[in-house]
Amino acid sequence: MKIVVAYKWTRDPEEASARPDGTVDWSRAKPGLSTYDPVAIEVARQLAAETGAELIGVTVGDKGVGTPLACKAALGRGLDRVVTVEDGSLADAGRSELAAVLAEVIKHIGDVDLVVTGDSSMDVAAKMVPTVLAGELGWPAVAEVTSVTGKAGELRVGREIPGGAQVLEISGPAVLATSADAAAPRVPGMKDLLAAGKKPVEHLDLAALKVSPQNAVMTVTGRSLPERKVRKGQLIDTADPAQAADELLTALRQAGAL
Amino acid sequence: MTEPVEPDFDVIVIGAGIAGCVTAYQLAQQGRSVLLVERGEEPGSKNLSGGVLYSRGMEQVFPDFLTEAPVERRITRNYINFINGDSSVAVDYRDARLAEPVNAVTVLRAKLDPWLAAKCEEAGALIMPGVRVDRVLTEGTRVVGVQAGDDELRAHVVVAADGVNSFIAQDVGLRKKPPQHHLAVGVKAVVSLPRKTIEDRFTLTGDEGAAVAAVGDCTEGVGGGGFLYTNIDSLSIGIVVRLDDLTAKKKVVTDIFDHFLEHRFIAPYLEGGEMLEYGCHLVAEGGLDMVGDIVMDGMVVVGDAAGLTLNTGLTVRGMDLAVGSAVAAAEAVGAALDQKNTSRATLAAYREKLFASYVGKDMETYAKAPHFLETDRMYKEYGELLADVLYGAFNHDLKPREHLVKVARGSLAHSPLKIMQLVKDGIAGARAL
């Protein structure tokens, strides 16, 4: 059995700042493993450990995603090997384009039984790539996955749905997006990181993958910040706690908050 | 003698700050197998430094340091400032000789440390960020490796470069918890400003930089001082105050820092800037007294962890001493590995080399500085006295003028300072600095 974890090496938006004109300054943001991807790796690692499957990390993106530092960060979490597509032209690639490249990498690897992804990427957070990828591959896509057991062709998948949970059985290959807290990721130890440096890394050339071109070009032509709500700045200043509580209650009622 | 088990590495360095990186780099260059373990997700993410690096030592290790490394500005202007509430007296020392050869540069550790770590990697060291070493492994009196979580790795020599608190050195009993009067707390912010604005406000051209050192009201009279350094397009501003004096005067360090930022003589430099970073860190100020035992069987201690910091009042140093200690340590560790004897006796060559170098010599020269800088008068009365003398000279209130000496005597008579204190402090200062 072959399990692929599609992960993203990208910038943390918490370290970015939005300029008044709506453009984003990423210059201080350091690249790293996308927040939820360690969860996906851990879910897949546990299944691989149970089934003896090979666990392959796949990442596609801008220059930097294939650096030794980036690959070791992913490999240290328990992947057996990593396959990357590192290309400057993917810097501004949209979700569908990234999914199309991922699909070609998965075909290149061959005989993949399962693709696991994180809940969403930390920089875009659109939750679209797993679904589009499944569409490209002609496989079912399942989001909010909380557990995976079984083996190739007989997967048992737990997922959250609005108002409850479901258990699914899937008879063929599938793309699963794990929920944000599906597993507690392990912090790689020194031995994991030592081993990571010795694991194989394969760099694929984007041009050689024959990804079908997108039929439409999408360009961002405008950006704006969300409208900032004006705060009331109301201060309740009294020595008597009971009176302060009364005033707070009155103020909240007047504001329609209670 | 070395340990019977063949270890995983020749050397494990704990901490990828300046001392750790430079030690690891040089040992890797000697062809040793080196592991550099760093607690932060990236080197430079856990430490805090004022930001002036006296760069000559670094150039001995990296000849192209000034052109290759991410340095900010060459310091050609040192502005030493006694700041009172409403007055300030400064010495503005500018010198082209400070630019060629370059003497000191401003650095931002978030940029410098990753560069240093990359150099280590190029030289063949293995870097492990995001790993916190819990303790060193010992067998008898010998350190044989490190433990992090469930994992243990062994080495012929462990280098403790884990910073001012050095839990590693404390854990193995090399260092005691330093007394409070040897410790200070630093608060620092990085404020972004356009390059042109910085050059205009500090009258700088090109990559020239300014370093402002301030004492007095900037720390609300608490022992310590303020600093303001120019980077390319940001300012590093901060205060360092002695812990014991802070406690005695019942002040809160962040309040003092806010007071400094808002001070009428400081705020104009920062106007319109945006705060990019804000941090707090312990600073060792014990000088020579803090350098304890730095060698044991299988381990050496370098940089801040070894207590190697100097505050002379005019210059505040740590990073260049870290470089010097790393050079001494790498030589001694290398020689010990060649002799296949990494005992305390062999590694003691590190201490000898350290004290034969500028690091040890300077620590000895300024051994009395910490005590002198504990003089309370430095932080309040002297600045006010200087301003009063100058006020007497410049304030033409239509009274007949007096010779400056007389004005100074008059000011001293009104100051709480006594002439004997002045003489005593003068002599002590001359001896300490």
Side-chain angles (χ1 to χ4, degrees):
Chain A
M1 183 178 181
K2 272 188 197 169
I3 306 173
V4 161
V5 180
Y7 69 88
K8 195 167 186 181
W9 181 259
T10 188
R11 303 167 296 191
D12 186 349
E14 278 187 21
E15 291 166 356
S17 56
R19 301 189 189 95
D21 66 356
T23 56
V24 179
D25 176 12
W26 287 100
S27 62
R28 298 177 65 81
K30 298 268 160 55
L33 203 53
S34 187
T35 320
Y36 299 118
D37 291 351
V39 176
I41 295 175
E42 183 58 20
V43 167
R45 195 193 62 80
Q46 287 175 14
L47 181 65
E50 283 161 25
T51 57
E54 187 187 14
L55 190 58
I56 308 157
V58 170
T59 192
V60 304
D62 192 9
K63 291 256 180 283
V65 304
T67 58
L69 175 82
C71 293
K72 272 195 267 181
L75 285 164
R77 294 184 174 271
L79 302 171
D80 295 322
R81 62 184 174 104
V82 154
V83 182
T84 75
V85 179
E86 184 179 18
D87 197 296
S89 71
L90 294 175
D92 299 316
R95 287 74 130 165
S96 15
E97 195 178 349
L98 288 177
V101 179
L102 278 172
E104 291 307 314
V105 177
I106 284 156
K107 287 177 200 162
H108 165 88
I109 293 170
D111 303 325
V112 173
D113 300 288
L114 177 65
V115 174
V116 183
T117 75
D119 175 69
S120 57
S121 65
M122 67 178 170
D123 56 342
V124 179
K127 300 194 180 191
M128 277 176 60
V129 169
T131 318
V132 181
L133 171 62
E136 291 273 351
L137 295 168
W139 299 358
V142 184
E144 298 290 343
V145 168
T146 52
S147 66
V148 194
T149 51
K151 57 184 186 193
E154 294 172 35
L155 290 171
R156 219 174 138 79
V157 174
R159 74 165 164 188
E160 283 169 18
I161 55 164
Q166 280 182 338
V167 179
L168 311 167
E169 282 191 5
I170 304 176
S171 64
V175 179
L176 309 180
T178 51
S179 69
D181 54 0
R186 294 186 317 163
V187 177
M190 292 191 295
K191 296 258 161 91
D192 298 320
L193 294 169
L194 270 186
K198 295 172 185 135
K199 289 176 178 174
V201 176
E202 185 185 0
H203 300 293
L204 299 180
D205 186 7
L206 180 61
L209 280 175
K210 300 197 180 65
V211 181
S212 332
Q214 301 283 303
N215 292 326
V217 177
M218 223 165 44
T219 317
V220 179
T221 56
R223 289 186 174 89
S224 63
L225 294 173
E227 214 169 290
R228 192 170 279 188
K229 289 199 177 111
V230 181
R231 289 168 189 267
K232 268 189 162 177
Q234 191 176 341
L235 185 72
I236 296 169
D237 186 13
T238 166
D240 179 18
Q243 194 191 333
D246 282 346
E247 283 182 34
L248 178 62
L249 271 178
T250 314
L252 288 172
R253 286 207 181 98
Q254 279 171 355
L258 289 179
Chain B
M1 51 147 234
T2 45
E3 57 276 25
V5 188
E6 188 50 33
D8 302 284
F9 292 91
D10 288 332
V11 183
I12 296 176
V13 181
I14 308 168
I18 287 183
C21 282
V22 174
T23 310
Y25 172 76
Q26 294 184 106
L27 284 164
Q29 283 233 314
Q30 292 174 15
R32 321 285 173 187
S33 66
V34 179
L35 172 67
L36 176 57
V37 190
E38 163 60 34
R39 177 175 58 126
E41 285 302 322
E42 188 180 38
S45 60
K46 284 282 177 188
N47 52 30
L48 190 85
S49 162
V52 168
L53 167 66
Y54 294 90
S55 47
R56 303 258 175 89
M58 202 62 117
E59 281 182 273
Q60 288 180 347
V61 181
F62 303 101
D64 298 326
F65 181 75
L66 293 168
T67 48
E68 234 190 80
V71 298
E72 298 285 314
R73 288 175 181 274
R74 296 172 294 152
I75 301 295
T76 54
R77 182 179 187 194
N78 285 282
Y79 194 87
I80 304 134
N81 203 357
F82 281 93
I83 290 190
N84 310 312
D86 305 311
S87 60
S88 109
V89 180
V91 175
D92 188 1
Y93 167 59
R94 312 187 69 152
D95 200 326
R97 286 177 298 180
L98 292 176
E100 194 53 57
V102 175
N103 173 65
V105 291
T106 42
V107 295
L108 290 167
R109 296 288 296 277
K111 291 181 187 167
L112 178 63
D113 292 18
W115 181 85
L116 284 171
K119 282 279 160 195
C120 295
E121 221 159 18
E122 276 171 35
L126 183 68
I127 316 230
M128 241 180 225
V131 173
R132 198 188 79 122
V133 170
D134 297 316
R135 63 181 194 96
V136 290
L137 303 170
T138 51
E139 279 172 13
T141 59
R142 158 174 281 278
V143 172
V144 295
V146 301
Q147 183 183 342
D150 298 330
D151 290 345
E152 295 180 352
L153 291 176
R154 299 170 71 98
H156 288 300
V157 180
V158 170
V159 178
D162 57 333
V164 57
N165 278 316
S166 191
F167 294 113
I168 297 298
Q170 285 186 35
D171 195 32
V172 293
L174 277 185
R175 229 173 102 180
K176 289 185 195 69
K177 203 164 181 268
Q180 223 183 36
H181 71 279
H182 280 178
L183 289 177
V185 60
V187 187
K188 180 200 168 189
V190 176
V191 176
S192 83
L193 277 171
R195 185 178 183 147
K196 174 96 173 48
T197 309
I198 292 174
E199 285 159 11
D200 289 348
R201 284 183 190 174
F202 291 86
T203 60
L204 304 167
T205 47
D207 62 351
E208 285 180 345
V212 178
V215 290
D217 188 53
C218 54
T219 54
E220 298 186 307
V222 176
F227 62 85
L228 176 57
Y229 304 143
T230 55
N231 304 312
I232 293 171
D233 53 8
S234 65
L235 300 174
S236 293
I237 181 163
I239 53 162
V240 179
V241 286
R242 261 186 13 247
L243 268 183
D244 59 333
D245 209 24
L246 195 67
T247 320
K249 297 196 167 115
K250 294 194 171 57
K251 300 269 190 183
V252 179
V253 68
T254 46
D255 291 348
I256 298 178
F257 186 52
D258 289 345
H259 173 78
F260 184 44
L261 294 178
E262 287 159 15
H263 199 286
R264 61 193 300 168
F265 300 128
I266 295 297
Y269 289 121
L270 307 172
E271 205 195 319
E274 193 195 336
M275 200 176 283
L276 301 174
E277 285 173 25
Y278 185 100
C280 236
H281 211 277
L282 270 186
V283 183
E285 295 227 308
L288 188 61
D289 284 353
M290 267 193 80
V291 185
D293 228 347
I294 52 175
V295 177
M296 65 188 287
D297 287 337
M299 187 168 101
V300 295
V301 189
V302 294
D304 275 15
L308 296 169
T309 47
L310 262 184
N311 180 357
T312 69
L314 293 179
T315 56
V316 185
R317 296 164 52 187
M319 293 189 278
D320 65 319
L321 306 177
V323 173
S325 73
V327 170
E331 279 178 20
V333 169
L337 289 169
D338 285 341
Q339 294 171 42
K340 299 197 183 308
N341 180 341
T342 54
S343 67
R344 179 189 172 95
T346 319
L347 289 173
Y350 159 50
R351 197 186 171 92
E352 283 160 29
K353 286 174 194 290
L354 182 71
F355 276 86
S357 75
Y358 66 92
V359 179
K361 298 277 181 229
D362 290 359
M363 293 301 288
E364 282 167 349
T365 303
Y366 296 115
K368 287 182 179 146
H371 182 67
F372 173 69
L373 292 173
E374 282 172 32
T375 318
D376 233 13
R377 300 181 279 279
M378 292 275 301
Y379 307 104
K380 185 162 163 59
E381 284 85 0
Y382 280 132
E384 288 170 359
L385 177 64
L386 282 170
D388 285 351
V389 172
L390 290 169
Y391 182 68
F394 284 95
N395 175 35
H396 284 240
D397 54 1
L398 304 183
K399 286 182 192 150
R401 297 286 84 202
E402 285 178 335
H403 284 298
L404 198 57
V405 176
K406 208 167 174 199
V407 176
R409 269 200 212 121
S411 300
L412 187 58
H414 287 109
S415 160
L417 288 169
K418 300 285 165 287
I419 188 114
M420 278 315 288
Q421 289 173 335
L422 215 59
V423 173
K424 203 177 128 215
D425 291 345
I427 293 170
R431 282 188 179 152
L433 312 178

